[in-house]
Amino acid sequence: MAWSLSRSADGWSGLLVSLGLTALTFLVISLVTGWAGGIGWSLALLGAEYLLPVFFRGGSPDVWAPIVALGFLLIAELGWWSWELRLASLDEPAIYVRGALLTLSVGLVSALISAALLGTASLVTFAGLPMRVIGTGAMVALVSLVAVLALRGSNALATIRPRRPRGR
Amino acid sequence: MPRNGSHTRSGGGGELTRQVTTSPKLRTYVALSGFGLLAALALGRPEPLVLALPFVAMLFAGLALAEDPTLSLEVNLERETALEGEEVGLAVRVSSDTSVEWLQVLMPIPVGLEAAGPRALRGIRLVRAEQRELTYKLMCRRRGAYLLGGCLVSAGDRFGFFVLRRWAGQRRMLRVYPRPESLRGLIKPIETQLFAGNEVSSRKGDGIEFADVRPYAAGDRIRHINWRLSTRLGELHVNELHPERNSDVVIFLDSFAEVRDAGQSTLDLAVRAAAAFAEQYLKRRDRVGLISFGGSLRWLEPSMGVVQLYKIVEALLDTEIVLSYVWTAIDVIPPHTLPAKALVIALTPLVDERSIDALFNLRSRGFDLAVVEVDPDPFVVPLEDERGRLAYRLWLLKREVIRDRFRRLGVPVARWRLGDPVDGALEGVRSFRRYARPVHA
């Protein structure tokens, strides 16, 4: 993926290849050593590799962006699976199958939403202070929502109680 | 032994309250989403937002679908007692009132037990109201009382963002008894006690075994008259008989020090032999007591019967080496634990001065003593260099001197090596006692 992204921009290929290689290195280190943060850094660098030529080229939104985003998600999920397999855990095959189906479903839905978003973006010009204010507000709202959900999720998890032995 | 209560080995890691942790995946996805949104704002382009959107969608879906499962755990042991070397099945039955996407039950296995069969650590999926049973096989490697059943349960959500951990499950006690050594014969005590038993006493009295003949005296029973001899000699003679009596046997277990390798130790062998001795002597209706002489002194007064056998075996389960530098003499043993005329069978590797001194002390007090030396040689690997070899030879010589001191006092010392039957060692004791008699030190 890093290689294909670097080929998309003339003149930037050296820097982009470096970014891609660095991302790959982070990913490999993460999987080999079990460093969890490496996967995130690897994806961030890949994202930078993709966004730099897009930003400097300008013009209309990249129509391949949803596919690239889906690829990023797959990289992240596969990376996490590999990272989790480092632990001495032997899971049932059904867990992997359901996890893969769930990830693909979410990825496809988000790709569809992204495509719709890009379609809207090509029709409407996003510029000016009002749009910036709206965007910032939306981002703050989104992050707040995630934080609230995360807090609720951590408080509302299971209560495990041992079952009393019968007949005693 | 009753004085110290029971020491149990537990595999649990203590009580952990309910703990919910977020995985690094959640933090990474939050960071990537924030990074994408910020980049979209800073660059004024939709592509960063599009890149971040799948991660945002995963976060939303994961957080919205997080459920609160109520899990029930039931731990069952196939049986509560086993012998060393046997396998015991353990089943963990788990159910939930909601679906749990990923559930892992981790059971710490105490030292002395081993997981047998396939890997015990498994992640499973539990659907609503389903009951699953996870089975494990445990190989009992070493005697002891083990507390099992404390499971570390980890439950994860669909997307692996949260993991809930806590200890759950009832504790179950697994008692692993020492593998009994086979015994064909036992050491006969020199003196017997007053009660009836299986041991032919050296004294004369009512019994079955013929002892001698003597002239008839007033009060002798008619049925004891030896008619054939009386007819030949023209004078009444009666048979004298040896009565069958029981004896007191005290098993002296040296727990000051042991020599061990990865799998076995001299103490383990001694415990097995002690259990076998106790069982066999109690079958003969002898009274058997136990003294564990070591860093912590523990004892059982001599008694008879099956209950005493259980007491002894239970006490042997907990026998461990307790490191101590305190000089402990035989005086600390309560007098009623060592009855007069008792046969004391010492099971010792003869490596600690304190126990050796205690045994000499017992002999000097007139106890009928037999030493079964649990030979530490198979566990010792001498150093390769010259000094190491010299030290090893000196150590062997010193041990030979100790054995010789015992023999000169009329105390048989039988060497019992790892892998040999204990009967062979006992035969050495019996043959020694056939010709030697104890002398007072």
Side-chain angles (χ1 to χ4, degrees):
Chain A
M1 189 161 184
W3 177 77
S4 66
L5 290 175
S6 66
R7 284 176 63 84
S8 63
D10 297 331
W12 289 82
S13 56
L15 175 64
L16 298 183
V17 166
S18 307
L19 278 174
L21 284 177
T22 314
L24 190 66
T25 309
F26 271 113
L27 190 63
V28 169
I29 290 173
S30 169
L31 295 183
V32 171
T33 64
W35 173 43
I39 296 173
W41 281 109
S42 167
L43 287 167
L45 287 171
L46 271 180
E49 186 187 1
Y50 169 71
L51 288 176
L52 274 175
V54 167
F55 175 69
F56 285 106
R57 192 178 60 232
S60 58
D62 183 16
V63 292
W64 293 103
I67 306 298
V68 174
L70 190 60
F72 275 30
L73 182 67
L74 288 179
I75 289 172
E77 283 295 313
L78 288 173
W80 283 113
W81 277 12
S82 306
W83 184 80
E84 284 167 358
L85 283 177
R86 287 176 51 81
L87 308 174
S89 173
L90 189 67
D91 293 342
E92 289 179 325
I95 293 177
Y96 296 109
V97 174
R98 278 181 61 86
L101 289 176
L102 205 62
T103 304
L104 275 178
S105 309
V106 173
L108 286 174
V109 168
S110 59
L112 289 175
I113 296 171
S114 303
L117 188 76
L118 283 180
T120 313
S122 60
L123 296 175
V124 182
T125 305
F126 288 96
L129 187 61
M131 288 309 292
R132 293 253 164 176
V133 171
I134 291 169
T136 308
M139 193 195 80
V140 169
L142 189 68
V143 171
S144 307
L145 192 59
V146 167
V148 167
L149 282 173
L151 281 174
R152 197 197 69 177
S154 64
N155 287 331
L157 275 179
T159 306
I160 299 177
R161 56 176 167 76
R163 177 181 288 172
R164 286 186 183 173
R166 290 170 192 162
R168 293 196 180 182
Chain B
M1 293 190 204
R3 298 272 165 184
N4 289 16
S6 64
H7 295 276
T8 50
R9 293 170 219 167
S10 166
E15 289 301 318
L16 177 74
T17 52
R18 194 171 79 90
Q19 183 190 50
V20 180
T21 53
T22 54
S23 73
K25 182 179 176 182
L26 177 70
R27 295 190 286 274
T28 303
Y29 280 19
V30 169
L32 287 174
S33 304
F35 177 74
L37 296 173
L38 273 176
L41 272 178
L43 302 179
R45 291 194 62 89
E47 287 89 349
L49 183 63
V50 169
L51 289 190
L53 205 57
F55 298 103
V56 175
M58 289 286 279
L59 286 173
F60 267 98
L63 296 172
L65 295 176
E67 283 185 310
D68 182 7
T70 304
L71 296 168
S72 298
L73 248 86
E74 189 180 326
V75 180
N76 287 313
L77 269 173
E78 184 185 45
R79 52 202 162 105
E80 292 177 348
T81 56
L83 289 175
E84 284 176 325
E86 287 185 344
E87 280 188 3
V88 177
L90 186 141
V92 179
R93 204 169 294 159
V94 59
S95 61
S96 169
D97 58 354
T98 55
S99 292
V100 180
E101 204 61 29
W102 178 81
L103 184 82
Q104 197 175 61
V105 180
L106 175 64
M107 177 173 294
I109 300 172
V111 177
L113 299 178
E114 274 179 19
R119 286 164 68 186
L121 190 62
R122 289 180 60 195
I124 58 165
R125 180 170 178 271
L126 206 61
V127 297
R128 183 192 301 268
E130 184 193 15
Q131 193 175 64
R132 296 283 297 269
E133 190 173 271
L134 306 172
T135 54
Y136 306 89
K137 282 279 179 193
L138 297 173
M139 169 63 77
C140 306
R141 290 283 178 211
R142 191 164 185 256
R143 72 195 152 79
Y146 300 98
L147 266 178
L148 292 165
C151 303
L152 179 64
V153 181
S154 305
D157 63 328
R158 283 183 178 78
F159 294 89
F161 290 150
F162 298 102
V163 177
L164 171 94
R165 288 190 182 91
R166 85 166 274 182
W167 289 96
Q170 310 96 328
R171 296 291 178 125
R172 293 276 185 265
M173 177 75 80
L174 173 64
R175 294 177 188 281
V176 179
Y177 293 115
R179 182 164 45 80
E181 293 287 333
S182 64
L183 281 177
R184 289 182 185 171
L186 290 167
I187 304 170
K188 290 189 174 186
I190 292 173
E191 299 272 5
T192 52
Q193 304 291 329
L194 292 176
F195 298 104
N198 290 6
E199 185 63 41
V200 177
S201 172
S202 58
R203 295 173 191 280
K204 291 164 186 172
D206 263 351
I208 297 171
E209 291 288 324
F210 175 79
D212 204 353
V213 288
R214 64 169 171 78
Y216 178 83
D220 281 340
R221 291 182 179 182
I222 300 294
R223 68 186 175 116
H224 285 172
I225 294 174
N226 187 329
W227 292 109
R228 183 176 293 180
L229 187 68
S230 301
T231 310
R232 194 165 48 184
L233 297 178
E235 190 184 358
L236 285 176
H237 278 74
V238 290
N239 287 337
E240 287 188 312
L241 305 167
H242 287 300
E244 282 77 34
R245 295 280 183 259
N246 78 337
S247 54
D248 284 352
V249 179
V250 176
I251 298 166
F252 182 99
L253 194 64
D254 177 6
S255 57
F256 266 117
E258 66 176 349
V259 185
R260 68 173 310 131
D261 60 11
Q264 303 222 46
S265 73
T266 54
L267 183 65
D268 291 339
L269 295 179
V271 163
R272 279 180 208 158
F277 286 153
E279 186 184 0
Q280 294 299 322
Y281 277 112
L282 284 169
K283 270 185 190 170
R284 289 165 21 122
R285 289 186 287 174
D286 291 332
R287 296 200 311 158
V288 180
L290 180 68
I291 296 173
S292 176
F293 194 66
S296 68
L297 176 72
R298 306 167 76 197
W299 65 87
L300 270 177
E301 291 175 24
S303 186
M304 303 168 69
V306 181
V307 174
Q308 180 71 355
L309 178 62
Y310 281 116
K311 280 184 186 173
I312 290 175
V313 174
E314 286 289 323
L316 289 173
L317 286 187
D318 300 335
T319 304
E320 292 292 345
I321 300 296
V322 177
L323 186 65
S324 169
Y325 295 105
V326 178
W327 183 270
T328 310
I330 201 75
D331 306 328
V332 297
I333 298 175
H336 47 267
T337 313
L338 284 165
K341 302 178 186 175
L343 165 66
V344 179
I345 301 176
L347 292 157
T348 169
L350 292 179
V351 291
D352 194 283
E353 291 291 333
R354 291 168 290 190
S355 54
I356 295 167
D357 185 72
L359 292 175
F360 281 128
N361 203 329
L362 278 177
R363 180 75 277 288
S364 67
R365 292 175 186 214
F367 282 99
D368 179 14
L369 178 65
V371 176
V372 177
E373 178 195 351
V374 185
D375 201 344
D377 282 0
F379 301 97
V380 176
V381 181
L383 293 174
E384 289 298 324
D385 61 348
E386 195 169 341
R387 281 185 185 178
R389 284 196 295 272
L390 183 62
Y392 180 64
R393 283 172 56 200
L394 283 172
W395 182 68
L396 291 179
L397 283 172
K398 190 181 167 190
R399 298 178 59 75
E400 194 51 50
V401 168
I402 293 169
R403 282 185 211 114
D404 194 52
R405 280 179 64 196
F406 275 116
R407 285 176 190 135
R408 275 189 281 130
L409 291 172
V411 176
V413 180
R415 295 175 70 178
W416 177 35
R417 294 177 73 91
L418 176 68
D420 291 347
V422 72
D423 254 333
L426 291 192
E427 186 51 43
V429 174
R430 285 192 290 264
S431 62
F432 183 91
R433 287 162 71 93
R434 217 169 284 146
Y435 303 108
R437 281 289 175 267
V439 293
H440 290 286

PDB file of all heavy atoms in Angstrom, chain B residues 280-291:
ATOM      1  N   GLN B 280       1.519 -50.021  56.443  1.00  0.00           N
ATOM      2  CA  GLN B 280       1.808 -51.428  56.724  1.00  0.00           C
ATOM      3  C   GLN B 280       1.807 -51.722  58.225  1.00  0.00           C
ATOM      4  O   GLN B 280       1.278 -52.741  58.662  1.00  0.00           O
ATOM      5  CB  GLN B 280       3.158 -51.816  56.114  1.00  0.00           C
ATOM      6  CG  GLN B 280       3.177 -51.790  54.597  1.00  0.00           C
ATOM      7  CD  GLN B 280       2.180 -52.760  53.998  1.00  0.00           C
ATOM      8  OE1 GLN B 280       1.985 -53.856  54.511  1.00  0.00           O
ATOM      9  NE2 GLN B 280       1.511 -52.356  52.934  1.00  0.00           N
ATOM     10  N   TYR B 281       2.401 -50.843  59.013  1.00  0.00           N
ATOM     11  CA  TYR B 281       2.430 -51.087  60.453  1.00  0.00           C
ATOM     12  C   TYR B 281       1.024 -51.006  61.049  1.00  0.00           C
ATOM     13  O   TYR B 281       0.676 -51.768  61.939  1.00  0.00           O
ATOM     14  CB  TYR B 281       3.357 -50.091  61.145  1.00  0.00           C
ATOM     15  CG  TYR B 281       4.811 -50.502  61.091  1.00  0.00           C
ATOM     16  CD1 TYR B 281       5.732 -49.789  60.342  1.00  0.00           C
ATOM     17  CD2 TYR B 281       5.263 -51.614  61.796  1.00  0.00           C
ATOM     18  CE1 TYR B 281       7.061 -50.159  60.277  1.00  0.00           C
ATOM     19  CE2 TYR B 281       6.597 -51.998  61.731  1.00  0.00           C
ATOM     20  CZ  TYR B 281       7.485 -51.271  60.969  1.00  0.00           C
ATOM     21  OH  TYR B 281       8.795 -51.665  60.910  1.00  0.00           O
ATOM     22  N   LEU B 282       0.237 -50.074  60.547  1.00  0.00           N
ATOM     23  CA  LEU B 282      -1.123 -49.951  61.087  1.00  0.00           C
ATOM     24  C   LEU B 282      -1.970 -51.159  60.706  1.00  0.00           C
ATOM     25  O   LEU B 282      -2.867 -51.559  61.452  1.00  0.00           O
ATOM     26  CB  LEU B 282      -1.775 -48.659  60.581  1.00  0.00           C
ATOM     27  CG  LEU B 282      -1.260 -47.389  61.276  1.00  0.00           C
ATOM     28  CD1 LEU B 282      -1.738 -46.142  60.557  1.00  0.00           C
ATOM     29  CD2 LEU B 282      -1.707 -47.341  62.730  1.00  0.00           C
ATOM     30  N   LYS B 283      -1.670 -51.754  59.572  1.00  0.00           N
ATOM     31  CA  LYS B 283      -2.381 -52.984  59.198  1.00  0.00           C
ATOM     32  C   LYS B 283      -2.103 -54.095  60.200  1.00  0.00           C
ATOM     33  O   LYS B 283      -2.926 -54.978  60.397  1.00  0.00           O
ATOM     34  CB  LYS B 283      -1.921 -53.435  57.805  1.00  0.00           C
ATOM     35  CG  LYS B 283      -2.751 -52.863  56.676  1.00  0.00           C
ATOM     36  CD  LYS B 283      -2.299 -53.473  55.371  1.00  0.00           C
ATOM     37  CE  LYS B 283      -2.929 -52.749  54.200  1.00  0.00           C
ATOM     38  NZ  LYS B 283      -2.305 -53.184  52.945  1.00  0.00           N
ATOM     39  N   ARG B 284      -0.911 -54.049  60.770  1.00  0.00           N
ATOM     40  CA  ARG B 284      -0.540 -55.085  61.756  1.00  0.00           C
ATOM     41  C   ARG B 284      -1.033 -54.740  63.157  1.00  0.00           C
ATOM     42  O   ARG B 284      -0.581 -55.318  64.120  1.00  0.00           O
ATOM     43  CB  ARG B 284       0.983 -55.213  61.800  1.00  0.00           C
ATOM     44  CG  ARG B 284       1.590 -55.833  60.585  1.00  0.00           C
ATOM     45  CD  ARG B 284       3.095 -55.589  60.522  1.00  0.00           C
ATOM     46  NE  ARG B 284       3.688 -55.278  61.791  1.00  0.00           N
ATOM     47  CZ  ARG B 284       4.683 -55.980  62.343  1.00  0.00           C
ATOM     48  NH1 ARG B 284       5.152 -57.037  61.724  1.00  0.00           N
ATOM     49  NH2 ARG B 284       5.217 -55.610  63.491  1.00  0.00           N
ATOM     50  N   ARG B 285      -1.857 -53.745  63.259  1.00  0.00           N
ATOM     51  CA  ARG B 285      -2.424 -53.306  64.540  1.00  0.00           C
ATOM     52  C   ARG B 285      -1.363 -52.732  65.470  1.00  0.00           C
ATOM     53  O   ARG B 285      -1.452 -52.822  66.686  1.00  0.00           O
ATOM     54  CB  ARG B 285      -3.194 -54.440  65.217  1.00  0.00           C
ATOM     55  CG  ARG B 285      -4.472 -54.739  64.496  1.00  0.00           C
ATOM     56  CD  ARG B 285      -5.292 -55.738  65.246  1.00  0.00           C
ATOM     57  NE  ARG B 285      -4.705 -57.081  65.148  1.00  0.00           N
ATOM     58  CZ  ARG B 285      -5.155 -58.133  65.800  1.00  0.00           C
ATOM     59  NH1 ARG B 285      -6.181 -58.006  66.607  1.00  0.00           N
ATOM     60  NH2 ARG B 285      -4.602 -59.311  65.658  1.00  0.00           N
ATOM     61  N   ASP B 286      -0.292 -52.218  64.882  1.00  0.00           N
ATOM     62  CA  ASP B 286       0.699 -51.512  65.695  1.00  0.00           C
ATOM     63  C   ASP B 286       0.246 -50.071  65.890  1.00  0.00           C
ATOM     64  O   ASP B 286      -0.572 -49.556  65.118  1.00  0.00           O
ATOM     65  CB  ASP B 286       2.060 -51.518  64.983  1.00  0.00           C
ATOM     66  CG  ASP B 286       2.650 -52.918  64.949  1.00  0.00           C
ATOM     67  OD1 ASP B 286       2.337 -53.699  65.864  1.00  0.00           O
ATOM     68  OD2 ASP B 286       3.394 -53.218  64.002  1.00  0.00           O
ATOM     69  N   ARG B 287       0.821 -49.460  66.900  1.00  0.00           N
ATOM     70  CA  ARG B 287       0.563 -48.028  67.073  1.00  0.00           C
ATOM     71  C   ARG B 287       1.661 -47.263  66.329  1.00  0.00           C
ATOM     72  O   ARG B 287       2.851 -47.574  66.480  1.00  0.00           O
ATOM     73  CB  ARG B 287       0.599 -47.644  68.552  1.00  0.00           C
ATOM     74  CG  ARG B 287      -0.502 -48.320  69.352  1.00  0.00           C
ATOM     75  CD  ARG B 287      -0.758 -47.586  70.641  1.00  0.00           C
ATOM     76  NE  ARG B 287       0.459 -47.292  71.386  1.00  0.00           N
ATOM     77  CZ  ARG B 287       0.559 -46.318  72.301  1.00  0.00           C
ATOM     78  NH1 ARG B 287      -0.487 -45.572  72.567  1.00  0.00           N
ATOM     79  NH2 ARG B 287       1.689 -46.114  72.952  1.00  0.00           N
ATOM     80  N   VAL B 288       1.275 -46.314  65.525  1.00  0.00           N
ATOM     81  CA  VAL B 288       2.249 -45.592  64.698  1.00  0.00           C
ATOM     82  C   VAL B 288       2.145 -44.100  65.001  1.00  0.00           C
ATOM     83  O   VAL B 288       1.048 -43.543  65.062  1.00  0.00           O
ATOM     84  CB  VAL B 288       2.012 -45.837  63.192  1.00  0.00           C
ATOM     85  CG1 VAL B 288       3.041 -45.078  62.358  1.00  0.00           C
ATOM     86  CG2 VAL B 288       2.080 -47.321  62.882  1.00  0.00           C
ATOM     87  N   GLY B 289       3.292 -43.494  65.208  1.00  0.00           N
ATOM     88  CA  GLY B 289       3.365 -42.049  65.405  1.00  0.00           C
ATOM     89  C   GLY B 289       4.286 -41.433  64.373  1.00  0.00           C
ATOM     90  O   GLY B 289       4.952 -42.144  63.603  1.00  0.00           O
ATOM     91  N   LEU B 290       4.285 -40.136  64.340  1.00  0.00           N
ATOM     92  CA  LEU B 290       5.097 -39.449  63.333  1.00  0.00           C
ATOM     93  C   LEU B 290       5.746 -38.218  63.960  1.00  0.00           C
ATOM     94  O   LEU B 290       5.095 -37.464  64.686  1.00  0.00           O
ATOM     95  CB  LEU B 290       4.198 -39.024  62.163  1.00  0.00           C
ATOM     96  CG  LEU B 290       4.866 -38.281  61.013  1.00  0.00           C
ATOM     97  CD1 LEU B 290       5.808 -39.188  60.252  1.00  0.00           C
ATOM     98  CD2 LEU B 290       3.808 -37.729  60.067  1.00  0.00           C
ATOM     99  N   ILE B 291       7.018 -38.067  63.675  1.00  0.00           N
ATOM    100  CA  ILE B 291       7.713 -36.843  64.097  1.00  0.00           C
ATOM    101  C   ILE B 291       8.368 -36.254  62.861  1.00  0.00           C
ATOM    102  O   ILE B 291       9.165 -36.913  62.198  1.00  0.00           O
ATOM    103  CB  ILE B 291       8.804 -37.141  65.150  1.00  0.00           C
ATOM    104  CG1 ILE B 291       8.169 -37.686  66.425  1.00  0.00           C
ATOM    105  CG2 ILE B 291       9.601 -35.876  65.451  1.00  0.00           C
ATOM    106  CD1 ILE B 291       9.192 -38.166  67.431  1.00  0.00           C
TER     107      ILE B 291
END
